[in-house]
Amino acid sequence: MPELPEVETVVRDLRPWIVGQRIRAVQVGPKQLRHPWQSAWTNRLLGAKITALTRRGKWIIAELDRPERLVVHLGMTGQLVVVPASEPIADHTHVIVQWDASPHELRFRDVRRFGSMTLHANDAELQAFLGDRLGPEPFELTDADLARGMKSSERVLKALLLDQTIVAGVGNIYADESLFAAKLHPQRRGQSLSDAEVSRLNAAIRGVMARAVAQRGSTIRNYVGGSGLKGGFQEEFAVYGRAGEPCRVCATPIQRVRLAGRATHFCPQCQAPWSDG
DNA sequence: ATGCAGTCCTGTAAGC
DNA sequence: TGCTTACAGGACTGCA
């Protein structure tokens, strides 16, 4: 599932292929993504040059040489890839962007259509949109930021980590992995955390994210980077998807429960539920 | 205000 | 073998 490391990998892969390219054509399929494509968007994109490709949380942002911003969210099964235009079009391909001077094209494929591709009018409007939804990036998150998000809440840690307004980019996999790395039980309440535990959690999130980005993210089912390459971090999972398997630290079987509506994996020994202050 | 459950969507896999 | 059912979960809505 594309979370921060996967989205970052897609952005890095795509950047050399599409930054500097001028849009010649946009083809949109009949099936709607999360938000319907407005036909006016196509006209506003034609002739525009991509000037930068960036990421904020799990959102991908294409800057243009005009005010509009093209924004993509991969949802659960979204894939954004650059391929030779001659390549057969895979099932569930919903948008194709073609360039003036390239034999390659950009394709957005999304089997379950939880993803979205939208055009925002300008950067200020986009920043307001993202600002309403996203807290700090993990690599910019201070202990004070995280403490503010955690210690004022009665919600369980798993739910708090999935809340994009507290820290942007963490999804189900990296929430579980971060809590293991921080030795915190996913069912602990935010307000039960000590300052030391908040600090540990912050370091854990950052460490897990850095290692996952270095491995080009995780491929569980169908995630691929912008060049079609799979990720490798799934080989390093400590808990996610390892229910019943021995903890890599203490050999205790990894437990799986349902928390905040999500499958949640943890080591009952390493992540004991009591506070250690 | 807060937190939770339900919703969307379809491919995969388990169960009978 | 073929059908039904559960499950995967990011972002969002509606309800208590």
Side-chain angles (χ1 to χ4, degrees), chain A residues 215-275:
Chain A
Q215 295 295 319
R216 299 179 47 82
S218 309
T219 294
I220 304 299
R221 289 176 187 80
N222 55 9
Y223 160 76
V224 293
S227 55
L229 275 177
K230 296 182 175 188
F233 190 67
Q234 66 279 2
E235 306 297 332
E236 297 185 26
F237 285 167
V239 289
Y240 184 84
R242 298 192 66 241
E245 294 176 39
C247 170
R248 299 192 197 283
V249 172
C250 73
T252 302
I254 299 301
Q255 273 189 19
R256 178 190 152 120
V257 297
R258 201 160 184 88
L259 212 51
R262 298 289 173 252
T264 300
H265 314 73
F266 66 99
C267 170
Q269 176 69 34
C270 293
Q271 296 167 266
W274 52 82
S275 166

Short mmCIF file of all heavy atoms in Angstrom, two decimals, chain A residues 215-275:
data_model
loop_
_atom_site.label_atom_id
_atom_site.label_comp_id
_atom_site.label_asym_id
_atom_site.label_seq_id
_atom_site.Cartn_x
_atom_site.Cartn_y
_atom_site.Cartn_z
N GLN A 215 15.16 1.32 0.79
CA GLN A 215 14.82 0.05 0.14
C GLN A 215 13.77 0.22 -0.96
O GLN A 215 13.21 -0.77 -1.43
CB GLN A 215 14.29 -0.95 1.17
CG GLN A 215 15.31 -1.37 2.22
CD GLN A 215 16.46 -2.14 1.62
OE1 GLN A 215 16.25 -2.97 0.75
NE2 GLN A 215 17.67 -1.83 2.05
N ARG A 216 13.48 1.47 -1.31
CA ARG A 216 12.48 1.74 -2.35
C ARG A 216 11.08 1.30 -1.92
O ARG A 216 10.26 0.90 -2.74
CB ARG A 216 12.85 1.08 -3.68
CG ARG A 216 14.18 1.55 -4.28
CD ARG A 216 14.50 0.84 -5.58
NE ARG A 216 13.36 0.81 -6.47
CZ ARG A 216 13.01 1.82 -7.26
NH1 ARG A 216 13.73 2.91 -7.31
NH2 ARG A 216 11.94 1.72 -8.00
N GLY A 217 10.79 1.37 -0.63
CA GLY A 217 9.46 1.04 -0.13
C GLY A 217 9.23 -0.45 -0.03
O GLY A 217 10.17 -1.25 -0.12
N SER A 218 7.97 -0.83 0.16
CA SER A 218 7.59 -2.23 0.36
C SER A 218 6.61 -2.65 -0.71
O SER A 218 5.66 -1.93 -0.99
CB SER A 218 6.92 -2.40 1.73
OG SER A 218 7.69 -1.83 2.76
N THR A 219 6.83 -3.81 -1.27
CA THR A 219 5.85 -4.37 -2.21
C THR A 219 5.15 -5.54 -1.55
O THR A 219 5.76 -6.57 -1.30
CB THR A 219 6.53 -4.82 -3.52
OG1 THR A 219 7.05 -3.67 -4.20
CG2 THR A 219 5.51 -5.52 -4.43
N ILE A 220 3.86 -5.35 -1.20
CA ILE A 220 3.08 -6.42 -0.59
C ILE A 220 2.33 -7.17 -1.68
O ILE A 220 2.41 -8.38 -1.80
CB ILE A 220 2.05 -5.87 0.41
CG1 ILE A 220 2.76 -5.04 1.47
CG2 ILE A 220 1.30 -7.02 1.07
CD1 ILE A 220 3.74 -5.81 2.27
N ARG A 221 1.59 -6.44 -2.46
CA ARG A 221 0.84 -7.07 -3.54
C ARG A 221 1.24 -6.49 -4.88
O ARG A 221 1.93 -7.12 -5.65
CB ARG A 221 -0.66 -6.89 -3.31
CG ARG A 221 -1.16 -7.72 -2.18
CD ARG A 221 -2.62 -7.50 -1.84
NE ARG A 221 -2.96 -8.24 -0.62
CZ ARG A 221 -2.69 -7.84 0.60
NH1 ARG A 221 -2.10 -6.66 0.78
NH2 ARG A 221 -3.01 -8.57 1.64
N ASN A 222 0.87 -5.25 -5.12
CA ASN A 222 1.08 -4.76 -6.47
C ASN A 222 1.76 -3.40 -6.54
O ASN A 222 1.77 -2.78 -7.59
CB ASN A 222 -0.26 -4.71 -7.22
CG ASN A 222 -1.28 -3.88 -6.45
OD1 ASN A 222 -0.93 -3.24 -5.48
ND2 ASN A 222 -2.51 -3.91 -6.89
N TYR A 223 2.35 -2.95 -5.44
CA TYR A 223 3.02 -1.65 -5.54
C TYR A 223 4.25 -1.75 -6.45
O TYR A 223 5.03 -2.69 -6.37
CB TYR A 223 3.48 -1.15 -4.16
CG TYR A 223 4.56 -0.11 -4.26
CD1 TYR A 223 4.24 1.18 -4.64
CD2 TYR A 223 5.90 -0.44 -4.09
CE1 TYR A 223 5.23 2.13 -4.81
CE2 TYR A 223 6.89 0.50 -4.26
CZ TYR A 223 6.55 1.78 -4.62
OH TYR A 223 7.53 2.71 -4.80
N VAL A 224 4.42 -0.78 -7.32
CA VAL A 224 5.67 -0.63 -8.08
C VAL A 224 6.05 0.84 -8.09
O VAL A 224 5.20 1.72 -8.00
CB VAL A 224 5.56 -1.13 -9.54
CG1 VAL A 224 5.36 -2.63 -9.58
CG2 VAL A 224 4.43 -0.42 -10.29
N GLY A 225 7.35 1.09 -8.19
CA GLY A 225 7.84 2.46 -8.31
C GLY A 225 7.55 3.01 -9.69
O GLY A 225 6.92 2.36 -10.53
N GLY A 226 8.01 4.23 -9.91
CA GLY A 226 7.70 4.91 -11.17
C GLY A 226 8.32 4.26 -12.39
O GLY A 226 7.89 4.50 -13.51
N SER A 227 9.34 3.45 -12.15
CA SER A 227 9.96 2.74 -13.27
C SER A 227 9.47 1.31 -13.37
O SER A 227 9.96 0.53 -14.17
CB SER A 227 11.47 2.76 -13.10
OG SER A 227 11.81 2.22 -11.83
N GLY A 228 8.49 0.95 -12.51
CA GLY A 228 7.95 -0.40 -12.55
C GLY A 228 8.69 -1.37 -11.62
O GLY A 228 8.29 -2.51 -11.48
N LEU A 229 9.76 -0.88 -10.96
CA LEU A 229 10.51 -1.73 -10.03
C LEU A 229 9.76 -1.89 -8.72
O LEU A 229 9.14 -0.96 -8.23
CB LEU A 229 11.87 -1.08 -9.72
CG LEU A 229 13.03 -1.33 -10.67
CD1 LEU A 229 14.24 -0.53 -10.20
CD2 LEU A 229 13.37 -2.81 -10.71
N LYS A 230 9.87 -3.09 -8.13
CA LYS A 230 9.25 -3.32 -6.84
C LYS A 230 10.13 -2.79 -5.71
O LYS A 230 11.31 -2.50 -5.91
CB LYS A 230 9.01 -4.82 -6.64
CG LYS A 230 8.02 -5.40 -7.65
CD LYS A 230 7.77 -6.87 -7.41
CE LYS A 230 6.67 -7.37 -8.36
NZ LYS A 230 6.26 -8.73 -8.06
N GLY A 231 9.54 -2.70 -4.50
CA GLY A 231 10.30 -2.30 -3.33
C GLY A 231 10.91 -3.50 -2.64
O GLY A 231 10.63 -4.65 -3.02
N GLY A 232 11.75 -3.25 -1.62
CA GLY A 232 12.42 -4.35 -0.95
C GLY A 232 12.28 -4.36 0.56
O GLY A 232 12.75 -5.26 1.23
N PHE A 233 11.58 -3.35 1.11
CA PHE A 233 11.53 -3.24 2.57
C PHE A 233 10.69 -4.34 3.22
O PHE A 233 10.85 -4.63 4.40
CB PHE A 233 11.03 -1.85 2.99
CG PHE A 233 11.20 -1.58 4.46
CD1 PHE A 233 12.45 -1.46 5.03
CD2 PHE A 233 10.09 -1.45 5.29
CE1 PHE A 233 12.61 -1.22 6.39
CE2 PHE A 233 10.23 -1.22 6.64
CZ PHE A 233 11.50 -1.10 7.20
N GLN A 234 9.82 -4.98 2.43
CA GLN A 234 9.00 -6.07 3.00
C GLN A 234 9.88 -7.18 3.58
O GLN A 234 9.47 -7.90 4.47
CB GLN A 234 8.02 -6.63 1.96
CG GLN A 234 8.64 -7.34 0.77
CD GLN A 234 9.11 -6.38 -0.31
OE1 GLN A 234 9.00 -5.17 -0.14
NE2 GLN A 234 9.64 -6.92 -1.39
N GLU A 235 11.10 -7.29 3.08
CA GLU A 235 12.03 -8.31 3.61
C GLU A 235 12.49 -7.96 5.02
O GLU A 235 13.02 -8.81 5.73
CB GLU A 235 13.25 -8.43 2.69
CG GLU A 235 12.93 -8.69 1.22
CD GLU A 235 12.22 -10.01 0.99
OE1 GLU A 235 12.43 -10.94 1.80
OE2 GLU A 235 11.46 -10.10 0.02
N GLU A 236 12.34 -6.69 5.38
CA GLU A 236 12.83 -6.24 6.69
C GLU A 236 11.71 -6.04 7.71
O GLU A 236 11.97 -5.57 8.81
CB GLU A 236 13.62 -4.93 6.53
CG GLU A 236 14.87 -5.08 5.68
CD GLU A 236 15.70 -3.80 5.64
OE1 GLU A 236 15.61 -3.00 6.59
OE2 GLU A 236 16.42 -3.62 4.64
N PHE A 237 10.49 -6.38 7.36
CA PHE A 237 9.39 -6.19 8.30
C PHE A 237 9.68 -6.92 9.60
O PHE A 237 10.05 -8.10 9.59
CB PHE A 237 8.07 -6.73 7.74
CG PHE A 237 7.45 -5.87 6.68
CD1 PHE A 237 6.41 -6.37 5.90
CD2 PHE A 237 7.88 -4.57 6.45
CE1 PHE A 237 5.82 -5.59 4.92
CE2 PHE A 237 7.29 -3.79 5.47
CZ PHE A 237 6.26 -4.31 4.70
N ALA A 238 9.48 -6.22 10.72
CA ALA A 238 9.63 -6.86 12.02
C ALA A 238 8.32 -7.51 12.45
O ALA A 238 8.33 -8.57 13.08
CB ALA A 238 10.07 -5.83 13.05
N VAL A 239 7.19 -6.85 12.11
CA VAL A 239 5.90 -7.36 12.59
C VAL A 239 4.84 -7.46 11.50
O VAL A 239 4.04 -8.40 11.49
CB VAL A 239 5.36 -6.50 13.75
CG1 VAL A 239 6.18 -6.72 15.02
CG2 VAL A 239 5.31 -5.03 13.40
N TYR A 240 4.80 -6.50 10.59
CA TYR A 240 3.70 -6.46 9.62
C TYR A 240 3.66 -7.75 8.79
O TYR A 240 4.66 -8.17 8.22
CB TYR A 240 3.82 -5.25 8.68
CG TYR A 240 2.63 -5.16 7.74
CD1 TYR A 240 1.46 -4.53 8.15
CD2 TYR A 240 2.66 -5.76 6.50
CE1 TYR A 240 0.35 -4.49 7.34
CE2 TYR A 240 1.55 -5.73 5.66
CZ TYR A 240 0.40 -5.09 6.09
OH TYR A 240 -0.70 -5.07 5.27
N GLY A 241 2.47 -8.38 8.76
CA GLY A 241 2.30 -9.60 7.98
C GLY A 241 3.00 -10.81 8.56
O GLY A 241 3.10 -11.85 7.90
N ARG A 242 3.48 -10.73 9.83
CA ARG A 242 4.24 -11.82 10.42
C ARG A 242 3.50 -12.49 11.58
O ARG A 242 4.13 -13.10 12.45
CB ARG A 242 5.61 -11.32 10.88
CG ARG A 242 6.49 -10.79 9.74
CD ARG A 242 7.93 -10.57 10.16
NE ARG A 242 8.59 -11.83 10.48
CZ ARG A 242 9.10 -12.16 11.67
NH1 ARG A 242 9.01 -11.29 12.67
NH2 ARG A 242 9.66 -13.32 11.87
N ALA A 243 2.17 -12.42 11.59
CA ALA A 243 1.39 -13.03 12.67
C ALA A 243 1.77 -14.50 12.84
O ALA A 243 1.83 -15.25 11.87
CB ALA A 243 -0.10 -12.90 12.37
N GLY A 244 2.05 -14.87 14.11
CA GLY A 244 2.41 -16.25 14.42
C GLY A 244 3.88 -16.57 14.23
O GLY A 244 4.37 -17.57 14.74
N GLU A 245 4.58 -15.72 13.50
CA GLU A 245 6.02 -15.96 13.30
C GLU A 245 6.80 -15.40 14.49
O GLU A 245 6.34 -14.50 15.18
CB GLU A 245 6.48 -15.29 12.00
CG GLU A 245 5.87 -15.93 10.75
CD GLU A 245 6.26 -15.21 9.47
OE1 GLU A 245 7.44 -14.79 9.37
OE2 GLU A 245 5.40 -15.05 8.59
N PRO A 246 7.99 -15.93 14.75
CA PRO A 246 8.75 -15.48 15.93
C PRO A 246 9.27 -14.05 15.78
O PRO A 246 9.74 -13.66 14.72
CB PRO A 246 9.92 -16.47 16.00
CG PRO A 246 10.06 -17.02 14.63
CD PRO A 246 8.67 -17.03 14.04
N CYS A 247 9.14 -13.30 16.85
CA CYS A 247 9.73 -11.96 16.90
C CYS A 247 11.23 -12.07 16.62
O CYS A 247 11.90 -12.97 17.13
CB CYS A 247 9.50 -11.36 18.29
SG CYS A 247 10.42 -9.84 18.57
N ARG A 248 11.73 -11.14 15.81
CA ARG A 248 13.15 -11.20 15.45
C ARG A 248 14.06 -10.86 16.63
O ARG A 248 15.26 -11.12 16.61
CB ARG A 248 13.44 -10.23 14.30
CG ARG A 248 12.67 -10.53 13.02
CD ARG A 248 13.23 -9.71 11.86
NE ARG A 248 12.32 -9.64 10.72
CZ ARG A 248 12.13 -10.63 9.85
NH1 ARG A 248 12.78 -11.77 9.99
NH2 ARG A 248 11.29 -10.47 8.84
N VAL A 249 13.47 -10.28 17.68
CA VAL A 249 14.26 -9.91 18.85
C VAL A 249 14.17 -10.98 19.94
O VAL A 249 15.19 -11.42 20.46
CB VAL A 249 13.80 -8.55 19.42
CG1 VAL A 249 14.49 -8.25 20.75
CG2 VAL A 249 14.06 -7.44 18.41
N CYS A 250 12.92 -11.43 20.26
CA CYS A 250 12.75 -12.30 21.42
C CYS A 250 12.10 -13.65 21.10
O CYS A 250 11.87 -14.45 21.99
CB CYS A 250 11.93 -11.59 22.49
SG CYS A 250 10.19 -11.44 22.06
N ALA A 251 11.75 -13.85 19.84
CA ALA A 251 11.18 -15.12 19.36
C ALA A 251 9.74 -15.37 19.81
O ALA A 251 9.15 -16.39 19.47
CB ALA A 251 12.06 -16.32 19.73
N THR A 252 9.16 -14.46 20.56
CA THR A 252 7.75 -14.58 20.92
C THR A 252 6.91 -14.46 19.65
O THR A 252 7.21 -13.61 18.79
CB THR A 252 7.36 -13.45 21.90
OG1 THR A 252 8.18 -13.54 23.06
CG2 THR A 252 5.90 -13.55 22.30
N PRO A 253 5.86 -15.30 19.50
CA PRO A 253 5.04 -15.18 18.28
C PRO A 253 4.42 -13.79 18.14
O PRO A 253 3.87 -13.26 19.10
CB PRO A 253 3.96 -16.25 18.47
CG PRO A 253 4.57 -17.23 19.43
CD PRO A 253 5.46 -16.42 20.33
N ILE A 254 4.51 -13.24 16.94
CA ILE A 254 3.90 -11.94 16.66
C ILE A 254 2.39 -12.09 16.69
O ILE A 254 1.84 -13.04 16.15
CB ILE A 254 4.35 -11.42 15.27
CG1 ILE A 254 5.86 -11.24 15.23
CG2 ILE A 254 3.62 -10.13 14.91
CD1 ILE A 254 6.42 -10.29 16.26
N GLN A 255 1.72 -11.15 17.36
CA GLN A 255 0.26 -11.18 17.46
C GLN A 255 -0.36 -10.27 16.43
O GLN A 255 0.23 -9.26 16.02
CB GLN A 255 -0.18 -10.72 18.85
CG GLN A 255 -0.23 -11.86 19.85
CD GLN A 255 -0.89 -11.43 21.16
OE1 GLN A 255 -1.59 -10.43 21.21
NE2 GLN A 255 -0.64 -12.20 22.20
N ARG A 256 -1.57 -10.63 16.04
CA ARG A 256 -2.32 -9.80 15.11
C ARG A 256 -3.70 -9.55 15.70
O ARG A 256 -4.40 -10.48 16.11
CB ARG A 256 -2.46 -10.53 13.77
CG ARG A 256 -3.28 -9.78 12.75
CD ARG A 256 -3.54 -10.71 11.57
NE ARG A 256 -4.78 -10.35 10.93
CZ ARG A 256 -4.85 -9.98 9.65
NH1 ARG A 256 -3.78 -9.96 8.91
NH2 ARG A 256 -6.00 -9.66 9.13
N VAL A 257 -4.07 -8.29 15.79
CA VAL A 257 -5.40 -7.92 16.28
C VAL A 257 -5.99 -6.88 15.33
O VAL A 257 -5.30 -6.43 14.40
CB VAL A 257 -5.33 -7.32 17.71
CG1 VAL A 257 -4.81 -8.35 18.70
CG2 VAL A 257 -4.46 -6.07 17.73
N ARG A 258 -7.25 -6.53 15.55
CA ARG A 258 -7.87 -5.48 14.77
C ARG A 258 -8.00 -4.24 15.63
O ARG A 258 -8.59 -4.29 16.71
CB ARG A 258 -9.23 -5.93 14.25
CG ARG A 258 -9.68 -5.12 13.05
CD ARG A 258 -10.76 -5.87 12.27
NE ARG A 258 -11.09 -5.10 11.07
CZ ARG A 258 -10.45 -5.24 9.92
NH1 ARG A 258 -9.48 -6.12 9.82
NH2 ARG A 258 -10.77 -4.51 8.89
N LEU A 259 -7.42 -3.14 15.16
CA LEU A 259 -7.38 -1.93 15.97
C LEU A 259 -7.62 -0.75 15.02
O LEU A 259 -7.03 -0.69 13.94
CB LEU A 259 -6.00 -1.82 16.63
CG LEU A 259 -5.88 -1.16 17.99
CD1 LEU A 259 -6.87 -1.73 18.98
CD2 LEU A 259 -4.47 -1.35 18.52
N ALA A 260 -8.47 0.18 15.46
CA ALA A 260 -8.80 1.33 14.61
C ALA A 260 -9.26 0.85 13.23
O ALA A 260 -9.00 1.49 12.22
CB ALA A 260 -7.60 2.27 14.47
N GLY A 261 -9.93 -0.32 13.22
CA GLY A 261 -10.45 -0.86 11.97
C GLY A 261 -9.40 -1.45 11.06
O GLY A 261 -9.69 -1.79 9.91
N ARG A 262 -8.17 -1.59 11.55
CA ARG A 262 -7.07 -2.07 10.70
C ARG A 262 -6.38 -3.26 11.33
O ARG A 262 -6.27 -3.35 12.56
CB ARG A 262 -6.03 -0.95 10.51
CG ARG A 262 -6.57 0.28 9.80
CD ARG A 262 -6.83 -0.02 8.33
NE ARG A 262 -7.49 1.08 7.67
CZ ARG A 262 -8.77 1.08 7.28
NH1 ARG A 262 -9.53 0.04 7.52
NH2 ARG A 262 -9.28 2.12 6.67
N ALA A 263 -5.88 -4.18 10.48
CA ALA A 263 -5.05 -5.26 10.98
C ALA A 263 -3.82 -4.64 11.63
O ALA A 263 -3.19 -3.75 11.07
CB ALA A 263 -4.63 -6.17 9.83
N THR A 264 -3.50 -5.11 12.83
CA THR A 264 -2.42 -4.53 13.61
C THR A 264 -1.53 -5.64 14.15
O THR A 264 -2.02 -6.61 14.71
CB THR A 264 -3.00 -3.70 14.78
OG1 THR A 264 -3.81 -2.65 14.24
CG2 THR A 264 -1.90 -3.11 15.65
N HIS A 265 -0.23 -5.49 13.94
CA HIS A 265 0.73 -6.55 14.29
C HIS A 265 1.71 -6.02 15.33
O HIS A 265 2.22 -4.90 15.19
CB HIS A 265 1.49 -7.01 13.05
CG HIS A 265 0.62 -7.26 11.84
ND1 HIS A 265 0.05 -6.23 11.11
CD2 HIS A 265 0.21 -8.40 11.26
CE1 HIS A 265 -0.67 -6.75 10.13
NE2 HIS A 265 -0.59 -8.06 10.19
N PHE A 266 2.00 -6.84 16.34
CA PHE A 266 2.95 -6.40 17.37
C PHE A 266 3.51 -7.61 18.11
O PHE A 266 2.97 -8.71 18.05
CB PHE A 266 2.26 -5.44 18.34
CG PHE A 266 1.17 -6.07 19.17
CD1 PHE A 266 1.40 -6.47 20.48
CD2 PHE A 266 -0.09 -6.27 18.63
CE1 PHE A 266 0.39 -7.06 21.24
CE2 PHE A 266 -1.11 -6.87 19.39
CZ PHE A 266 -0.85 -7.26 20.69
N CYS A 267 4.62 -7.37 18.80
CA CYS A 267 5.23 -8.39 19.65
C CYS A 267 4.76 -8.16 21.08
O CYS A 267 5.07 -7.12 21.67
CB CYS A 267 6.74 -8.34 19.59
SG CYS A 267 7.50 -9.41 20.84
N PRO A 268 4.02 -9.12 21.66
CA PRO A 268 3.47 -8.90 23.00
C PRO A 268 4.55 -8.82 24.08
O PRO A 268 4.30 -8.28 25.15
CB PRO A 268 2.56 -10.12 23.22
CG PRO A 268 3.02 -11.14 22.23
CD PRO A 268 3.61 -10.40 21.08
N GLN A 269 5.72 -9.31 23.78
CA GLN A 269 6.83 -9.23 24.75
C GLN A 269 7.59 -7.90 24.62
O GLN A 269 7.71 -7.16 25.57
CB GLN A 269 7.77 -10.42 24.50
CG GLN A 269 9.01 -10.42 25.39
CD GLN A 269 8.67 -10.69 26.85
OE1 GLN A 269 7.76 -11.46 27.16
NE2 GLN A 269 9.41 -10.05 27.76
N CYS A 270 8.06 -7.62 23.41
CA CYS A 270 8.85 -6.39 23.21
C CYS A 270 8.00 -5.13 23.37
O CYS A 270 8.52 -4.07 23.70
CB CYS A 270 9.48 -6.38 21.82
SG CYS A 270 10.74 -7.65 21.56
N GLN A 271 6.71 -5.25 23.07
CA GLN A 271 5.82 -4.09 23.13
C GLN A 271 4.81 -4.27 24.26
O GLN A 271 3.61 -4.17 24.05
CB GLN A 271 5.10 -3.89 21.79
CG GLN A 271 6.05 -3.57 20.63
CD GLN A 271 5.36 -3.68 19.29
OE1 GLN A 271 5.41 -4.72 18.65
NE2 GLN A 271 4.70 -2.61 18.85
N ALA A 272 5.31 -4.55 25.44
CA ALA A 272 4.43 -4.76 26.58
C ALA A 272 3.56 -3.53 26.81
O ALA A 272 4.00 -2.41 26.55
CB ALA A 272 5.27 -5.04 27.83
N PRO A 273 2.32 -3.74 27.25
CA PRO A 273 1.35 -2.65 27.28
C PRO A 273 1.54 -1.64 28.40
O PRO A 273 0.90 -0.61 28.40
CB PRO A 273 0.01 -3.38 27.43
CG PRO A 273 0.36 -4.68 28.07
CD PRO A 273 1.72 -5.04 27.56
N TRP A 274 2.40 -1.89 29.36
CA TRP A 274 2.54 -0.94 30.45
C TRP A 274 3.54 0.16 30.08
O TRP A 274 4.42 -0.01 29.25
CB TRP A 274 2.99 -1.64 31.73
CG TRP A 274 4.20 -2.49 31.52
CD1 TRP A 274 5.49 -2.07 31.50
CD2 TRP A 274 4.22 -3.89 31.25
NE1 TRP A 274 6.32 -3.13 31.24
CE2 TRP A 274 5.57 -4.26 31.09
CE3 TRP A 274 3.23 -4.88 31.14
CZ2 TRP A 274 5.96 -5.56 30.80
CZ3 TRP A 274 3.62 -6.18 30.87
CH2 TRP A 274 4.97 -6.51 30.71
N SER A 275 3.39 1.26 30.75
CA SER A 275 4.32 2.37 30.54
C SER A 275 5.61 2.10 31.30
O SER A 275 5.59 1.59 32.41
CB SER A 275 3.69 3.67 31.04
OG SER A 275 4.67 4.67 31.15
#
